[in-house]
Amino acid sequence: MRFTVLGGCGAWPAAGQACSGYVVEEEGFLIYVDPGYATLPRLLERRQAGEVDAVLITHGHPDHCADLNPLLRARALAGRPVPPLPVHAPPGALDAVLALDGGRMLAGSFVVHELAPGVPRRLGPFRLDSFDLPHHVPNAGLRLSGGGRVIAYTGDTGPSGSLMALAKDADLLVAEATYPEQVPDEDAPYLSSALDAGRTAASAGAARLLLTHLWPDTPPEPALEAAATSYDGPIEVASAGVTVDLP
């Protein structure tokens, strides 16, 4: 299983960077996770739009889903027939991004599947489990299992008991860490810190931690140091081009 970072900025893409966006591959099956701002051009440097087999979106904020629109345009308008793209997201999360184009332009280019906690599904060689996690809008934590390996991704989330089930014994935990140590009071129920991510990784027994969604233009060192106070496994910050192979 291979996990590749297309971008990891929270909120907006800093100069030369991109927001949340990841690729997960196993046995030739490619999943595009959270197509946030500026991630599609980075994907297209590696693969063609028609090679995406499925899209997973944790929630409807545009820094996690805006580039679904150009992806669907690239598939619908390229003149090369491709099957409808399965797009999995929480109920209602795609309403705004799908409204950017009239139904005629993108007709037949995608099929929306609503995520439901406790209802696993198969995506090619993967099993997908989703978890409701607290954010300003409905947010799905994603757990992908395949080839004996597990990748867990929080999306954006505040504190939740479901994080343990999401991340339990994961080979890779990709965790939102907008702030290094302290989340402002008004956002504390809805966002996490690197310190929180480290604690989750340690408690869940995750083998490796990837911190993502850092505030744009902030240095990675404070986040790495905060996570390391509670977690002694490998820690890295998600930046474009980071690749994790899970043999």
Side-chain angles (χ1 to χ4, degrees), residues 142-235:
L142 306 175
R143 182 180 173 95
L144 282 167
S145 309
R149 297 289 181 263
V150 173
I151 295 173
Y153 172 42
T154 66
D156 293 351
T157 184
S160 171
S162 295
L163 285 168
M164 290 299 103
L166 169 71
K168 182 174 175 56
D169 297 328
D171 296 279
L172 174 65
L173 171 61
V174 185
E176 178 249 318
T178 305
Y179 300 94
E181 295 186 25
Q182 185 69 38
V183 180
D185 289 345
E186 64 271 21
D187 284 330
Y190 312 113
L191 291 172
S192 298
S193 68
L195 181 62
D196 296 326
R199 289 170 175 163
T200 297
S203 297
R208 186 166 184 165
L209 175 61
L210 186 65
L211 303 172
T212 192
H213 203 267
L214 275 63
W215 203 246
D217 294 320
T218 57
E221 290 79 12
L224 292 167
E225 292 169 4
T229 63
S230 54
Y231 176 68
D232 60 6
I235 309 171

Side-chain angles (χ1 to χ4, degrees), residues 1-4 151 172 208 210 236 242-246:
M1 189 187 299
R2 169 170 286 186
F3 182 92
T4 302
I151 295 173
L172 174 65
R208 186 166 184 165
L210 186 65
E236 196 168 0
V242 168
T243 298
V244 179
D245 286 312
L246 302 174

Side-chain angles (χ1 to χ4, degrees), residues 33-166:
V33 181
D34 272 6
Y37 293 126
T39 58
L40 181 63
R42 296 172 185 269
L43 173 67
L44 295 180
E45 291 173 355
R46 298 166 169 82
R47 305 292 286 269
Q48 296 182 16
E51 294 181 274
V52 177
D53 294 299
V55 173
L56 299 180
I57 293 175
T58 58
H59 63 286
H61 283 159
D63 55 327
H64 292 257
C65 70
D67 272 20
L68 176 63
N69 175 260
L71 172 66
L72 295 180
R73 283 184 165 218
R75 292 171 65 97
L77 304 178
R80 296 184 300 274
V82 292
L85 180 64
V87 182
H88 304 258
L94 305 181
D95 291 353
V97 69
L98 292 178
L100 291 172
D101 281 315
R104 180 178 175 185
M105 176 180 286
L106 301 179
S109 65
F110 65 93
V111 179
V112 174
H113 301 274
E114 294 186 347
L115 293 173
V119 182
R121 60 189 62 179
R122 298 297 307 185
L123 303 179
F126 296 97
R127 168 179 165 142
L128 169 65
D129 293 274
S130 65
F131 299 79
D132 279 344
L133 296 177
H135 190 44
H136 298 283
V137 297
N139 174 69
L142 306 175
R143 182 180 173 95
L144 282 167
S145 309
R149 297 289 181 263
V150 173
I151 295 173
Y153 172 42
T154 66
D156 293 351
T157 184
S160 171
S162 295
L163 285 168
M164 290 299 103
L166 169 71

